[in-house]
């Protein structure tokens, strides 16, 4: 509760800035319309109009909020939650690709980290490639992945998930290599004096020791997965998913729709990362590592 | 002397470093009998820890021979001949105290019921009864170190290797633990090898004190302690005690003469 006041203060400040910016950016259009119609507007009329335009340069917060509600909650009340105009449906399309990509990326990341840990050749060779893979702009490589996979008959969910995995494996590799190497020399020596096998060293020492690193990596990976899924939806012709809403919005100048989709994506990302944080708290508590 | 449990014969260990070879151990010969309490004392770099690590097969000598219970150090490790206690307790934060003590038993494949029975027994031995379900961070440094000694005792090795186990603790806690360690030694009859920086600690605990000096790491003096096995803390004010301490100090000083 003590953090409520500061949080609210920041939210209010952002809203105030946002409304101010909306007035500034949308004013010109209002004035142009008025001149064309030969009207003279008072300041209050100008301000009111800047917040009620159909296609504002910058929609006001309440317009975005209304759009969000109309495409989610209101549609649920009408029993059309899964209609193709509903953000819930588009969100689910993006979420399913995100989760599949996240699972593939996390799995691949952990396996690569184990390889790097136990194999000297992989230790020397994998990391530079992993880093190089992340320097390629995802926007450049996403259409190619989709085209190539499509030509071998794979389309829909999987290509998007692969783009997600491409972005999300990297933080997991980096985090887990650090995590697996976090036990110090003394703890490894101790294992040695008990003649522990490499598998025992891994499962009884390295794996539990890497848990705090794992959850930190997973949070970054989850956010990256969502970005990957949205980017993966852009080249498919804007049919379904939050990325499609963004693209369709920009085709038709529907700025309100774009902002609503952006916020839906942000809320989705925050919820997913929050969910991982919750699992992290529960896991570390059960391991006795939370104080 | 009884048949030696640990026998080092002209032991050499040379580390190849970027600055050239370093003689960590040079011509170290020593026999340690069953049930002895031997302290190794000397300045940093004298090879006392290295010697212990050789016994534990964590380092491998480049010359001479070393047997533990009549076997090579590697074979002795396989035969669970020794428990090793490091300077830091090194308890896993995600395991309870009992879980930490159970760890070597799990690794060595003891049956479940026996694990519990052994954990209970060694917890009692180091006076930590009732703390089994606590996590390491809930215990003081001294208690953590006792738990790590219990962990080393859990699988019934007859040799206990201790590398400055109380080095990071304050003096009052250290005195208390030294007293407890002696009691533990008297009760279990283990052979103890104990590395320390502290002259009083070495003299108080040991039946024999090995004084070492660096560059190259070697033994400069071996002192048999005439003190009785039963040692209250105030034995440290007796003339006999001070005389041994003096001889240890002289040995250390002689080793240092090369330095400057």
């Amino acid at each position: 509760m003590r953090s409520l006041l500061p949080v609210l203060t920041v939210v209010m400040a952002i809203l105030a800035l946002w409304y101010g910016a909306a007035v500034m950016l949308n004013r010109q259009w209002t004035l142009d319309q008025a001149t064309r119609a030969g009207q003279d507007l008072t300041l209050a009329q100008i301000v009111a109009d800047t917040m009620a335009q159909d296609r504002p340069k910058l929609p006001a917060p309440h317009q975005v909020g209304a759009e969000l509600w109309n495409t989610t909650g209101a549609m649920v009340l009408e029993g059309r939650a899964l209609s193709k105009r509903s953000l819930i449906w588009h969100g689910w399309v993006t979420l399913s690709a995100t989760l599949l990509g996240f699972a593939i990326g996390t799995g691949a990341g952990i396996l690569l980290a184990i390889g790097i840990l136990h194999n000297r050749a992989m230790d020397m060779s994998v990391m530079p490639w992993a880093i190089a893979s992340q320097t390629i702009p995802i926007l450049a490589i996403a259409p190619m992945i989709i085209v190539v996979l499509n030509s071998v008959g794979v389309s829909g969910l999987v290509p998007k998930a692969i783009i997600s995995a491409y972005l999300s494996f990297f933080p997991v590799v980096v985090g887990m290599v650090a995590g697996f190497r976090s036990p110090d020399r003394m703890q490894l020596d101790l294992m040695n004096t008990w003649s522990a096998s490499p598998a025992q060293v891994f499962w009884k020492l390295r794996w539990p020791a890497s848990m705090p690193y794992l959850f930190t990596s997973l949070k970054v990976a989850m956010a990256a997965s969502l970005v990957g899924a949205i980017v993966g939806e852009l080249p498919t012709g804007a049919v379904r998913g939050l990325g499609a809403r963004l693209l369709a919005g920009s085709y038709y100048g529907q700025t309100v729709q774009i902002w609503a989709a952006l916020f839906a994506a942000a809320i989705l990302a925050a919820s997913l990362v929050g969910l991982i944080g919750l699992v992290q708290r529960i896991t570390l508590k059960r391991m006795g590592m939370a104080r | 002397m009884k048949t030696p449990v640990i026998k080092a014969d002209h032991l050499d260990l040379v580390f190849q470093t970027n600055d050239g070879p370093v003689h960590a151990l040079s011509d170290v010969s020593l026999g340690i009998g069953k049930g002895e309490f031997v302290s190794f004392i000397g300045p940093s770099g004298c090879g006392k820890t290295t010697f212990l690590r050789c016994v534990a097969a964590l380092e491998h000598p480049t010359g001479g021979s070393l047997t533990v219970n009549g076997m090579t150090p590697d074979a002795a490790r396989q035969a669970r001949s020794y428990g090793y206690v490091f300077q830091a307790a090194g308890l896993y934060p995600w395991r309870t105290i009992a879980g930490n003590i159970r760890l070597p038993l799990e690794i060595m494949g003891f049956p479940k019921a026996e694990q519990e029975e052994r954990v209970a027994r060694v917890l009692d031995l180091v006076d930590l009864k009732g703390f089994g379900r606590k996590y390491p961070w809930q215990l003081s440094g001294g208690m953590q170190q006792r738990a790590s000694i219990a962990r080393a005792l859990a699988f019934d090795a007859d040799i206990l290797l201790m590398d400055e186990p109380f080095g990071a603790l304050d003096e009052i806690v250290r005195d208390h633990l030294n007293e407890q360690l002696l009691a533990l030694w008297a009760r279990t009859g283990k052979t103890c090898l104990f590395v320390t920086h502290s002259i009083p600690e070495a003299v108080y605990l040991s039946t024999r004190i090995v004084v070492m000096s660096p560059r190259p790491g070697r033994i400069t003096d071996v002192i048999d302690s005439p003190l009785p096995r039963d040692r209250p803390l105030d034995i440290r004010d007796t003339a006999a005690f001070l005389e041994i301490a003096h001889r240890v100090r002289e040995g250390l000083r002689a080793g240092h003469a090369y330095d400057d």
Side-chain angles (χ1 to χ4, degrees):
Chain A
M1 275 296 112
R2 228 155 34 102
S3 58
L4 196 62
L5 187 66
V7 169
L8 278 181
T9 311
V10 171
V11 169
M12 296 311 284
I14 291 174
L15 284 178
L17 276 174
W18 188 349
Y19 272 111
V23 172
M24 296 289 293
L25 290 169
N26 302 336
R27 189 185 53 189
Q28 195 56 50
W29 193 81
T30 301
L31 291 177
D32 289 348
Q33 291 295 103
T35 317
R36 223 166 285 162
Q39 291 171 314
D40 259 339
L41 296 177
T42 63
L43 183 63
Q45 284 172 315
I46 294 174
V47 169
D49 189 73
T50 56
M51 296 182 190
Q53 294 171 3
D54 270 346
R55 294 176 182 186
K57 291 205 175 73
L58 177 65
H62 66 267
Q63 288 179 295
V64 176
E67 170 75 10
L68 266 176
W69 170 251
N70 288 336
T71 49
T72 55
M75 299 191 81
V76 173
L77 294 182
E78 293 166 26
R80 299 196 297 134
L82 296 182
S83 120
K84 292 206 171 187
R85 285 185 40 77
S86 144
L87 266 189
I88 296 177
W89 180 74
H90 287 288
W92 164 247
V93 169
T94 305
L95 176 66
S96 53
T98 303
L99 292 180
L100 180 61
F102 174 75
I104 298 173
T106 305
I110 292 175
L111 287 180
L112 276 175
I114 293 174
I116 288 173
L117 183 72
H118 287 109
N119 184 309
R120 201 175 141 68
M122 279 186 77
D123 185 16
M124 308 284 278
S125 60
V126 170
M127 207 45 108
W129 287 103
I131 292 167
S133 77
Q134 302 302 302
T135 60
I136 302 169
I138 190 67
L139 268 172
I141 207 167
M144 291 194 273
I145 292 177
I146 291 189
V147 167
V148 167
L149 286 178
N150 204 33
S151 73
V152 295
V154 181
S155 61
L157 181 68
V158 175
K160 288 195 285 175
I162 286 177
I163 294 166
S164 279
Y166 183 89
L167 284 185
S168 62
F169 88 96
F170 184 66
V172 178
V173 173
V174 174
M176 288 311 272
V177 167
F180 289 150
R181 287 189 174 151
S182 64
D184 58 25
R185 168 107 181 267
M186 193 193 75
Q187 286 178 317
L188 293 169
D189 277 347
L190 256 179
M191 279 289 187
N192 260 332
T193 65
W194 302 326
S195 310
S197 69
Q200 285 172 326
V201 173
F202 182 79
W203 288 114
K204 293 194 185 292
L205 176 58
R206 293 190 191 272
W207 178 256
S210 71
M211 280 303 110
Y213 295 81
L214 175 66
F215 284 107
T216 310
S217 314
L218 289 187
K219 286 179 186 169
V220 182
M222 185 59 99
S225 277
L226 187 64
V227 171
I230 289 175
V231 170
E233 283 160 356
L234 297 181
T236 54
V239 191
R240 35 199 269 156
L242 292 176
R245 292 285 283 189
L246 288 172
L247 198 61
S250 72
Y251 279 164
Y252 304 114
Q254 297 286 351
T255 44
V256 181
Q257 181 187 323
I258 297 177
W259 281 85
L262 278 179
F263 269 84
I267 292 166
L268 193 58
S271 319
L272 291 171
V273 171
L275 201 63
I276 295 176
L278 191 70
V279 176
Q280 174 179 29
R281 274 225 297 285
I282 294 170
T283 308
L284 293 189
K285 195 171 178 133
R286 286 188 56 175
M287 287 172 76
M289 284 162 90
R291 312 220 164 156
Chain B
M1 197 171 66
K2 291 166 267 182
T3 41
V5 171
I6 293 167
K7 188 163 167 49
D9 207 13
H10 302 290
L11 208 59
D12 277 304
L13 177 55
V14 181
F15 290 118
Q16 298 300 338
T17 70
N18 291 336
D19 299 334
V22 172
H23 284 263
L25 291 175
S26 168
D27 199 24
V28 170
S29 297
L30 187 68
I32 296 172
K34 186 167 172 48
E36 273 199 90
F37 197 121
V38 181
S39 284
F40 295 81
I41 191 166
S44 313
C46 71
K48 53 194 192 302
T49 293
T50 309
F51 181 75
L52 222 59
R53 291 176 65 85
C54 286
V55 174
L58 293 172
E59 308 285 356
H60 291 87
T62 47
S65 76
L66 177 65
T67 58
V68 179
N69 278 347
M71 297 173 267
T72 65
D74 284 300
R77 170 198 286 173
Q78 293 295 333
R80 300 169 199 164
S81 299
Y82 55 84
Y84 205 114
V85 180
F86 287 88
Q87 175 161 15
L91 301 170
Y92 292 5
W94 59 87
R95 280 176 174 252
T96 58
I97 296 302
N100 269 290
I101 296 171
R102 202 184 304 118
L103 181 65
L105 304 176
E106 285 173 14
I107 286 171
M108 294 168 182
F110 284 86
K112 269 265 185 298
E114 193 182 342
Q115 288 181 16
E116 294 311 317
E117 181 263 318
R118 281 169 176 268
V119 169
R121 184 161 51 78
V122 290
L123 272 175
D124 197 24
L125 211 55
V126 296
D127 270 342
L128 281 177
K129 210 172 183 171
F131 287 94
R133 314 191 77 159
K134 298 270 191 226
Y135 281 98
W137 58 271
Q138 294 172 301
L139 269 61
S140 69
M143 289 164 99
Q144 289 187 23
Q145 198 51 277
R146 259 148 61 198
S148 89
I149 293 173
R151 182 177 55 186
L153 292 170
F155 47 93
D156 275 337
D158 45 328
I159 303 169
L160 203 49
L161 306 174
M162 287 180 278
D163 186 2
E164 296 187 55
F166 311 136
L169 304 173
D170 69 65
E171 194 149 351
I172 297 163
V173 176
R174 181 189 268 221
D175 280 354
H176 181 59
L177 288 179
N178 280 340
E179 221 178 348
Q180 283 191 318
L181 181 59
L182 269 190
L184 187 76
W185 173 63
R187 248 183 303 168
T188 58
K190 309 249 181 229
T191 310
C192 292
L193 276 67
F194 190 96
V195 166
T196 180
H197 270 121
S198 153
I199 298 174
E201 190 173 62
V203 178
Y204 175 68
L205 290 171
S206 319
T207 56
R208 208 140 53 105
I209 302 153
V210 177
V211 182
M212 300 183 73
S213 91
R215 282 175 295 271
R218 65 198 183 282
I219 296 177
T220 47
D221 197 6
V222 177
I223 303 162
D224 281 302
S225 171
L227 298 177
R229 285 219 158 192
D230 188 27
R231 302 175 185 179
L233 269 179
D234 48 21
I235 201 171
R236 294 181 299 183
D237 299 324
T238 62
F241 187 97
L242 295 175
E243 196 189 306
I244 307 167
H246 179 75
R247 193 173 150 197
V248 173
R249 195 169 291 118
E250 287 297 307
L252 289 173
R253 200 168 292 156
H256 258 300
Y258 296 81
D259 269 352
D260 17 52

